[in-house]
Amino acid sequence: MLENTALLGMSPEQVAAALPGAQPVRSPRRLPSGALGSLRVPDALCEGAHFEQTLFFAHQKLAQMDFVLLNPASGPGAEEALAKAQAALLQSLRAKLGPELAGFGAAPGAVADSASWAGADADVMLFRSGRPGHPSLRVVIRQRQLVDAGEL
Protein backbone atom coordinates (compact mmCIF):
# COMPACT_ATOMS: atom_id res chain seq x y z
CA MET A 1 0.00 0.00 0.00
CA LEU A 2 2.62 2.57 1.05
CA GLU A 3 4.88 1.55 -1.81
CA ASN A 4 2.30 3.24 -4.05
CA THR A 5 3.19 6.68 -2.63
CA ALA A 6 5.91 6.76 -5.28
CA LEU A 7 3.09 7.01 -7.84
CA LEU A 8 1.82 10.32 -6.45
CA GLY A 9 2.37 13.09 -8.98
CA MET A 10 2.48 10.69 -11.96
CA SER A 11 0.25 11.04 -15.02
CA PRO A 12 -2.64 8.60 -15.64
CA GLU A 13 -0.56 6.91 -18.34
CA GLN A 14 2.44 6.46 -16.04
CA VAL A 15 0.22 5.08 -13.26
CA ALA A 16 -1.52 2.66 -15.65
CA ALA A 17 1.88 1.38 -16.80
CA ALA A 18 3.08 0.98 -13.19
CA LEU A 19 -0.15 -0.74 -12.04
CA PRO A 20 -1.06 -3.27 -14.74
CA GLY A 21 -4.26 -4.22 -12.87
CA ALA A 22 -5.62 -0.66 -13.00
CA GLN A 23 -8.91 -0.27 -14.86
CA PRO A 24 -11.00 2.76 -15.83
CA VAL A 25 -13.74 3.61 -13.34
CA ARG A 26 -17.27 3.24 -14.78
CA SER A 27 -18.71 6.24 -12.96
CA PRO A 28 -15.87 8.55 -11.91
CA ARG A 29 -16.35 10.33 -8.59
CA ARG A 30 -15.09 13.84 -7.97
CA LEU A 31 -13.65 14.85 -4.59
CA PRO A 32 -14.34 18.27 -3.05
CA SER A 33 -10.74 19.15 -4.01
CA GLY A 34 -11.68 18.66 -7.67
CA ALA A 35 -9.65 15.46 -8.12
CA LEU A 36 -11.41 12.86 -10.27
CA GLY A 37 -11.33 9.14 -9.44
CA SER A 38 -10.75 7.73 -12.89
CA LEU A 39 -8.74 4.51 -12.32
CA ARG A 40 -9.21 1.62 -9.90
CA VAL A 41 -7.47 -1.57 -8.87
CA PRO A 42 -10.25 -4.03 -7.99
CA ASP A 43 -8.22 -6.12 -5.54
CA ALA A 44 -5.17 -4.69 -3.77
CA LEU A 45 -3.73 -6.88 -0.98
CA CYS A 46 -2.44 -5.23 2.20
CA GLU A 47 -1.65 -6.91 5.52
CA GLY A 48 -3.66 -9.97 4.48
CA ALA A 49 -6.80 -7.94 3.70
CA HIS A 50 -8.23 -7.17 0.26
CA PHE A 51 -8.99 -3.57 -0.71
CA GLU A 52 -10.43 -1.82 -3.76
CA GLN A 53 -8.07 1.01 -4.70
CA THR A 54 -9.39 4.15 -6.43
CA LEU A 55 -6.91 6.59 -7.96
CA PHE A 56 -7.82 10.29 -8.06
CA PHE A 57 -6.18 12.69 -10.50
CA ALA A 58 -6.00 16.49 -10.45
CA HIS A 59 -4.41 18.42 -13.30
CA GLN A 60 -3.38 15.11 -14.94
CA LYS A 61 -1.36 14.05 -11.87
CA LEU A 62 -2.14 11.40 -9.26
CA ALA A 63 -3.23 13.34 -6.17
CA GLN A 64 -4.94 10.75 -3.96
CA MET A 65 -5.44 7.00 -3.52
CA ASP A 66 -8.36 5.52 -1.58
CA PHE A 67 -8.30 1.93 -0.34
CA VAL A 68 -11.67 0.52 0.82
CA LEU A 69 -11.83 -2.89 2.49
CA LEU A 70 -13.52 -5.40 0.19
CA ASN A 71 -16.19 -7.67 1.64
CA PRO A 72 -16.01 -6.51 5.24
CA ALA A 73 -17.69 -8.88 7.64
CA SER A 74 -21.31 -8.17 8.48
CA GLY A 75 -23.63 -9.33 11.23
CA PRO A 76 -22.48 -10.86 14.51
CA GLY A 77 -18.71 -10.77 14.83
CA ALA A 78 -18.31 -8.06 12.18
CA GLU A 79 -16.89 -5.54 14.62
CA GLU A 80 -14.34 -8.06 15.93
CA ALA A 81 -13.23 -9.05 12.41
CA LEU A 82 -12.87 -5.41 11.38
CA ALA A 83 -11.01 -4.60 14.60
CA LYS A 84 -8.44 -7.29 13.74
CA ALA A 85 -7.95 -5.89 10.22
CA GLN A 86 -7.71 -2.36 11.62
CA ALA A 87 -5.19 -3.41 14.28
CA ALA A 88 -3.00 -5.12 11.65
CA LEU A 89 -3.06 -2.01 9.43
CA LEU A 90 -2.43 0.30 12.36
CA GLN A 91 0.57 -1.78 13.48
CA SER A 92 1.96 -1.88 9.94
CA LEU A 93 1.51 1.87 9.41
CA ARG A 94 3.12 2.65 12.77
CA ALA A 95 6.08 0.42 11.91
CA LYS A 96 6.59 2.22 8.60
CA LEU A 97 5.57 5.79 9.47
CA GLY A 98 6.09 6.05 13.23
CA PRO A 99 3.45 7.07 15.76
CA GLU A 100 0.30 8.64 14.38
CA LEU A 101 -0.50 12.31 14.84
CA ALA A 102 -2.32 13.21 18.04
CA GLY A 103 -6.03 12.43 17.82
CA PHE A 104 -8.95 14.12 19.49
CA GLY A 105 -11.62 12.41 21.53
CA ALA A 106 -9.89 9.05 21.90
CA ALA A 107 -9.44 7.66 25.38
CA PRO A 108 -5.86 6.68 26.26
CA GLY A 109 -5.20 3.13 25.11
CA ALA A 110 -8.40 2.99 23.05
CA VAL A 111 -8.44 2.38 19.30
CA ALA A 112 -9.63 5.54 17.58
CA ASP A 113 -11.99 5.59 14.61
CA SER A 114 -9.28 7.38 12.64
CA ALA A 115 -5.52 7.80 12.64
CA SER A 116 -3.26 9.91 10.46
CA TRP A 117 0.38 10.41 9.61
CA ALA A 118 2.19 13.22 7.80
CA GLY A 119 5.29 12.37 5.82
CA ALA A 120 7.54 14.38 3.56
CA ASP A 121 5.65 13.37 0.41
CA ALA A 122 2.25 12.09 1.55
CA ASP A 123 -0.49 12.27 4.15
CA VAL A 124 -1.87 8.87 5.21
CA MET A 125 -5.22 8.44 6.98
CA LEU A 126 -6.92 5.32 8.32
CA PHE A 127 -10.70 5.51 8.89
CA ARG A 128 -13.10 3.08 10.53
CA SER A 129 -16.76 3.86 9.94
CA GLY A 130 -20.13 2.29 9.26
CA ARG A 131 -23.02 1.21 11.38
CA PRO A 132 -22.95 -1.58 13.97
CA GLY A 133 -23.06 -4.97 12.30
CA HIS A 134 -21.79 -3.52 8.99
CA PRO A 135 -18.48 -1.70 9.58
CA SER A 136 -16.07 -0.36 6.96
CA LEU A 137 -12.34 0.36 6.82
CA ARG A 138 -10.70 2.91 4.51
CA VAL A 139 -7.14 4.15 3.97
CA VAL A 140 -6.48 7.43 2.13
CA ILE A 141 -3.03 8.38 0.83
CA ARG A 142 -2.75 11.80 -0.72
CA GLN A 143 -0.01 13.99 -2.02
CA ARG A 144 1.22 16.32 0.69
CA GLN A 145 0.66 19.97 -0.10
CA LEU A 146 2.29 22.55 2.08
CA VAL A 147 0.79 26.03 1.97
CA ASP A 148 2.15 29.32 3.11
CA ALA A 149 0.14 31.05 5.87
CA GLY A 150 -0.48 33.89 3.41
CA GLU A 151 -2.40 31.44 1.19
CA LEU A 152 -4.91 30.46 3.90
Side-chain angles (χ1 to χ4, degrees):
M1 184 180 294
L2 290 179
E3 60 277 358
N4 288 345
T5 57
L7 302 174
L8 291 169
M10 288 186 175
S11 71
E13 296 78 21
Q14 291 170 315
V15 171
L19 293 175
Q23 306 168 351
V25 172
R26 287 186 203 152
S27 299
R29 181 173 57 111
R30 190 170 298 278
L31 297 174
S33 67
L36 184 66
S38 53
L39 287 176
R40 73 181 187 97
V41 177
D43 192 353
L45 186 63
C46 181
E47 299 304 321
H50 295 269
F51 291 81
E52 178 178 42
Q53 179 183 11
T54 304
L55 304 149
F56 292 86
F57 294 86
H59 309 291
Q60 294 298 308
K61 292 186 178 185
L62 182 61
Q64 180 170 316
M65 298 175 279
D66 283 19
F67 294 83
V68 177
L69 185 64
L70 287 173
N71 304 318
S74 60
E79 290 294 329
E80 185 178 328
L82 190 80
K84 285 182 181 179
Q86 180 183 12
L89 271 173
L90 194 56
Q91 183 178 1
S92 174
L93 290 168
R94 283 176 178 157
K96 294 172 183 164
L97 301 170
E100 60 268 28
L101 299 173
F104 299 101
V111 176
D113 288 338
S114 65
S116 60
W117 295 262
D121 299 329
D123 293 325
V124 178
M125 294 147 285
L126 172 63
F127 300 100
R128 178 180 169 169
S129 60
R131 57 189 189 278
H134 197 68
S136 178
L137 196 58
R138 179 175 169 228
V139 177
V140 174
I141 301 172
R142 68 176 171 211
Q143 193 166 29
R144 186 148 179 82
Q145 294 181 350
L146 300 176
V147 293
D148 183 302
E151 297 176 44
L152 299 175

